Amino acid sequence: MRSLSVVLNPLLFLLLFGYCPSATIRPKEGWQVYSSAQDADGRCICTVVAPEQNLCSRDAKGRQLRQLLEKVQNMSQSIEVLNLRTQRDFQYIMRMESQIKGLRSKFRQIESDRKTLVNKNFQELKGKMESLQPLIPVLEQYKTDARLIIQFKEEIRNLSAVLMGIQEEMGAYDYDELQKRVLNLENRLRNCMSKLTCGKLMKITGPQTVKTSGTRFGAWMTDPQASHKNNRVWYMDSYTNNKIVKEYKSIADFVAGVESRTYNLPFKWAGTDHVVYNGSLYYNKMQSNIVVRYSFETGRVVTQRALESAGFHNVYPYTWGGFSDIDLMADELGLWAVYATNQNAGNIVISKLNPDTLQILNTWDTEYSKRNAGESFMICGTLYITNSHLTGAKVYYAYSTKTSTYEYTDIPFHNQYFHMSMLDYNARDRALYGWNNGHQVLFNVTLFHIIKTEDDS
């Protein structure tokens, strides 16, 4: 098998080892183990170590340089204004100097002949003093401006040193050249990741709190089928008696509360286990086992279909209730529905759905009680089930639809705000989206990968 060679610095490091490194590598602070891989014989090939989410910036130095240049320009303009004002004040002081000299001669004259000239000179002196009154604030401003000029000079010296350091660090590469190198590295990373098959969940880290809003229960999501330039966010507050979906153009707009559009669904939803997939919203119609597909592009229901025998309206919910009987989710392999039936004794049933028609393509019966599950999510055709929605919850059970087998797991995650009412995997972001007691959170996941060989293709 051809070896992988990836040079990803500063974007990514691909570390090669002859034994399984996932348990021994300790990445530097600010980095995380992204995935590990082994060949068909079980020999470890590589571990991918990547910066934590939101830490990478392909042009951080360029942006810092531009910010410093803008600051220097602003300071230069301020100094120019101070210079003009100082020149004006200096001319004014020169005019006052002649008046002050005349005032001194008047004092001497008054001293020599107080009695005869006292009244006349007193009035004249009073007028001179009144004309000098505006000079006082000018002199005060002049002193303030002088101090500002000294401060600005010191800041410019400091900025010059910083700029020189950035220039030396960037070396001979200009911004365009650096950007080309980053794009080349990204292409090489995608080529490497294309050789990785679906991975097995090994670890959950986080959460990162994105926003605090809404009630204790709700759902928020992005489209895993969308391009990386399309980062729209959809927000659905509460688990019942609501049909308003809010849309945001990006995570930043979502955090700032800047809505781009609002959708009024034709039917109210039940639960919080909705999913957006390839431009459509899939949700459970309230007080029914009907799955609705709603197109955001047309603003209409495309299709709706009942999940035969599926329990609904708190017959087989998750441990927290909330009409969470039917859980719709998506992963690398497509669209899924998770629910329970009387025929399977209230245990979880997994169905693969056609995303266009909502027809069931295949079904798997598990032996895990739906009422004993806190939440569940799908990664690469394997359903992972948590044992609680409260503090201390962990991923306890995994069912593979590929092999129709299950295993008990012990993968903890931090339920930071004590009550989890939504937990869904996004294959594009390689992250879990959660609604944690009125907090919208993200969890990072670490997957164990198997390298594809020519025999597997």
Side-chain angles (χ1 to χ4, degrees), residues 210-211 213 219-224 226-227 229-236 245-263 276 281 296 422 426 428-429 433-435 440-442:
V210 177
K211 189 177 181 179
S213 64
W220 72 294
M221 64 213 81
T222 59
D223 189 345
S227 68
K229 294 182 180 180
N230 181 355
N231 293 306
R232 287 186 296 173
V233 176
W234 291 274
Y235 178 89
M236 302 169 69
V245 180
K246 297 179 181 180
E247 180 183 283
Y248 304 85
K249 289 184 178 180
S250 65
I251 290 285
D253 283 354
F254 173 61
V255 173
V258 181
E259 299 175 22
S260 61
R261 190 171 175 182
T262 299
Y263 301 89
V276 174
L281 170 68
F296 286 125
M422 172 245 178
N426 186 296
R428 185 192 69 167
D429 300 337
Y433 282 64
W435 190 290
Q440 292 74 54
V441 298
L442 285 174

Side-chain angles (χ1 to χ4, degrees), residues 178-450:
L178 288 173
Q179 189 174 33
K180 289 179 181 178
R181 295 186 70 196
V182 169
L183 292 175
N184 179 54
L185 292 175
E186 286 182 337
N187 290 332
R188 297 174 71 178
L189 171 61
R190 281 193 288 269
N191 291 335
C192 173
M193 296 305 294
S194 67
K195 298 180 180 180
L196 299 177
T197 63
C198 269
K200 179 180 179 181
L201 180 65
M202 302 298 294
K203 184 180 180 182
I204 300 175
T205 57
Q208 173 192 354
T209 302
V210 177
K211 189 177 181 179
T212 300
S213 64
T215 62
R216 294 181 64 195
F217 319 100
W220 72 294
M221 64 213 81
T222 59
D223 189 345
Q225 294 293 100
S227 68
H228 284 277
K229 294 182 180 180
N230 181 355
N231 293 306
R232 287 186 296 173
V233 176
W234 291 274
Y235 178 89
M236 302 169 69
D237 192 15
S238 186
Y239 65 89
T240 186
N241 289 324
N242 197 356
K243 57 180 183 176
I244 301 300
V245 180
K246 297 179 181 180
E247 180 183 283
Y248 304 85
K249 289 184 178 180
S250 65
I251 290 285
D253 283 354
F254 173 61
V255 173
V258 181
E259 299 175 22
S260 61
R261 190 171 175 182
T262 299
Y263 301 89
N264 191 354
L265 302 178
F267 313 113
K268 295 179 180 179
W269 64 72
T272 59
D273 301 305
H274 333 292
V275 66
V276 174
Y277 186 76
N278 199 23
S280 292
L281 170 68
Y282 298 82
Y283 70 97
N284 177 208
K285 184 178 178 180
M286 191 174 73
Q287 295 185 351
S288 74
N289 59 7
I290 295 174
V291 176
V292 178
R293 178 192 173 197
Y294 177 87
S295 171
F296 286 125
E297 183 178 358
T298 65
R300 295 182 178 181
V301 171
V302 179
T303 186
Q304 52 182 316
R305 186 180 296 272
L307 287 173
E308 297 296 338
S309 303
F312 62 92
H313 203 61
N314 272 352
V315 173
Y316 295 120
Y318 287 127
T319 54
W320 65 276
F323 306 136
S324 56
D325 304 70
I326 297 175
D327 191 347
L328 300 165
M329 57 189 71
D331 69 351
E332 293 84 351
L333 305 183
L335 182 67
W336 305 83
V338 172
Y339 53 96
T341 64
N342 290 334
Q343 292 84 342
N344 197 34
N347 294 326
I348 286 179
V349 176
I350 306 169
S351 289
K352 182 78 178 295
L353 302 182
N354 182 312
D356 296 324
T357 66
L358 296 180
Q359 289 181 318
I360 294 177
L361 303 177
N362 206 344
T363 295
W364 296 261
D365 292 338
T366 76
E367 298 179 0
Y368 198 97
S369 170
K370 180 74 161 53
R371 285 182 167 273
N372 290 334
E375 277 291 340
S376 67
F377 52 90
M378 207 75 157
I379 299 179
C380 297
T382 296
L383 182 69
Y384 295 93
I385 301 173
T386 69
N387 61 351
S388 174
H389 64 282
L390 301 173
T391 302
K394 60 184 177 180
V395 177
Y396 183 72
Y397 182 93
Y399 186 94
S400 170
T401 60
K402 182 178 180 180
T403 61
S404 298
T405 59
Y406 70 90
E407 65 175 328
Y408 289 98
T409 61
D410 187 9
I411 305 174
F413 67 95
H414 183 38
N415 191 344
Q416 184 168 346
Y417 302 105
F418 317 118
H419 190 288
M420 190 72 66
S421 61
M422 172 245 178
L423 193 63
D424 274 334
Y425 174 70
N426 186 296
R428 185 192 69 167
D429 300 337
R430 290 283 180 89
L432 293 173
Y433 282 64
W435 190 290
N436 198 185
N437 205 8
H439 303 268
Q440 292 74 54
V441 298
L442 285 174
F443 295 89
N444 292 320
V445 297
T446 300
L447 304 180
F448 184 77
H449 290 278
I450 306 297

Side-chain angles (χ1 to χ4, degrees), residues 14-32:
L14 185 62
L15 307 178
L16 302 182
F17 289 85
Y19 58 94
C20 187
S22 60
T24 58
I25 287 183
R26 299 180 180 272
K28 295 181 180 179
E29 184 178 357
W31 294 73
Q32 66 173 1

